[in-house]
Amino acid sequence: MIIKDNHWLEDGKYIEVKCPKNQQVFGVNLPDTIIIHYTVGSTAKSSAEYLARDDVKASAHLVIGRDGVIYQLVPFNIAAWHAGESSYGNRTGFNRYSIGIELDNAGPLTKTGSSFISSFGKAYPENEAVLAKHRNESTERYWHTFSEVQIRTCTDICNALISKYNIKSILGHEEICPGRKTDPGPAFPLDKLRNDLLNDVRQDSDIKPTHGTVIASLLNIRQTPSATAPLQANPIPKNAAVTILEEKDGWLRVRTEIEGWVKKEYIQPIK
């Protein structure tokens, strides 16, 4: 995959969907982040055409179909409107920093008989559904799977973007908008993607111990390992169980019903 000097994919590798509403050029050394989304739409083509409409206050750089077909709406040097109200680390408003990649996918599914029904009423077969737990949720539910060619195409594009731009991180919409967004969800191999391309290791199995309980009366959970970082959610109550995912500079990244950072001294490890 090649990105040309005009910030479009190489000729013959994509279908252009004109989206002139986006005109704001990224700042110096930007974009530096890729955000992965799912469309919750019936087809890649219909989702791309919807996002390109002048009366829709959303857009993305790319939409990738289940057959690997790529729709490009916005050149990669122009900010698209895919992140919405968002924050991660010490940043807010990720439209200003990131490239948005949408993958044709129905998201959460509801099992009805032998079919799995999307939020927009489309039925999917059992081989396109997976029972899994979202990183920001506590219970399993069904999710629409991504196709192999779709994942491979997304990986190739991310690799090209990393080679062309100052890309330092790959994040899910669910990570910059926890509680509001769930894409790309557990059916997409987000951790593997960023591990493979950026050596950004976030696999839970590498962290020991893996469980703990809160020993403070109320424990703030933050978006990054800093006392000045925004809160991720309401404080965690005393004696609550947490899963420990990562340790950094006296902080632990933990998961309860959501995921965030807490001060290490307020967690009692369970051996």
Side-chain angles (χ1 to χ4, degrees):
M1 195 74 67
I2 296 172
I3 299 172
K4 299 187 298 183
D5 289 340
N6 65 355
H7 307 284
W8 290 82
L9 292 173
E10 61 184 308
D11 296 340
K13 295 295 185 181
Y14 70 97
I15 298 171
E16 181 179 352
V17 179
K18 295 186 182 300
C19 185
K21 63 188 177 184
N22 292 109
Q23 299 289 335
Q24 182 64 48
V25 177
F26 281 118
V28 177
N29 293 323
L30 297 173
D32 63 8
T33 302
I34 298 169
I35 306 296
I36 307 295
H37 306 256
Y38 54 49
T39 59
V40 191
S42 58
T43 68
K45 183 175 185 290
S46 65
S47 294
E49 291 174 345
Y50 174 80
L51 289 169
R53 282 169 39 179
D54 286 341
D55 61 335
V56 173
K57 300 301 182 184
S59 60
H61 293 88
L62 303 175
V63 178
I64 303 175
R66 299 186 66 79
D67 55 1
V69 172
I70 305 164
Y71 298 84
Q72 184 164 2
L73 288 70
V74 180
F76 298 122
N77 65 325
I78 300 293
W81 304 334
H82 59 95
E85 184 178 346
S86 51
S87 63
Y88 190 88
N90 59 357
R91 284 177 165 178
T92 60
F94 266 77
N95 287 337
R96 295 175 291 171
Y97 310 109
S98 60
I99 290 168
I101 299 177
E102 297 269 359
L103 292 97
D104 178 24
N105 184 278
L109 301 174
T110 301
K111 186 176 182 181
T112 304
S114 60
S115 295
F116 296 82
I117 312 301
S118 69
S119 61
F120 50 91
K122 186 174 179 179
Y124 295 89
E126 185 175 4
N127 64 358
E128 288 191 23
V130 61
L131 184 63
K133 187 171 71 171
H134 192 281
R135 70 176 70 240
N136 295 338
E137 298 176 354
S138 58
T139 58
E140 294 182 328
R141 54 176 169 156
Y142 288 101
W143 301 83
H144 191 199
T145 60
F146 296 82
S147 72
E148 290 185 12
V149 66
Q150 195 176 29
I151 294 171
R152 185 166 61 250
T153 300
C154 182
T155 301
D156 290 345
I157 289 170
C158 287
N159 199 33
L161 291 169
I162 291 166
S163 297
K164 181 74 171 179
Y165 303 103
N166 186 38
I167 302 298
K168 302 299 183 185
S169 60
I170 301 173
L171 298 169
H173 203 188
E174 64 205 19
E175 295 176 301
I176 63 172
C177 305
R180 187 172 71 84
K181 295 294 183 179
T182 57
D183 50 323
F188 184 81
L190 179 60
D191 288 330
K192 184 177 188 305
L193 179 72
R194 56 190 168 204
N195 291 355
D196 291 348
L197 298 184
L198 295 172
N199 196 30
D200 184 359
V201 179
R202 304 188 187 192
Q203 293 177 328
D204 298 359
S205 60
D206 294 335
I207 309 303
K208 301 295 182 183
T210 58
H211 299 283
T213 55
V214 175
I215 58 176
S217 57
L218 286 173
L219 180 58
N220 286 330
I221 181 166
R222 300 187 181 275
Q223 294 179 7
T224 59
S226 169
T228 60
L231 294 176
Q232 186 79 306
N234 292 330
I236 308 172
K238 188 174 183 177
N239 297 323
V242 298
T243 300
I244 300 170
L245 306 177
E246 181 181 354
E247 180 175 346
K248 183 177 181 180
D249 300 330
W251 290 77
L252 298 174
R253 183 165 65 91
V254 301
R255 178 183 297 153
T256 54
E257 293 184 0
I258 55 92
E259 184 180 308
W261 291 87
V262 300
K263 286 296 288 182
K264 181 179 179 180
E265 64 251 40
Y266 298 118
I267 295 293
Q268 176 63 53
I270 300 173
K271 302 295 186 180

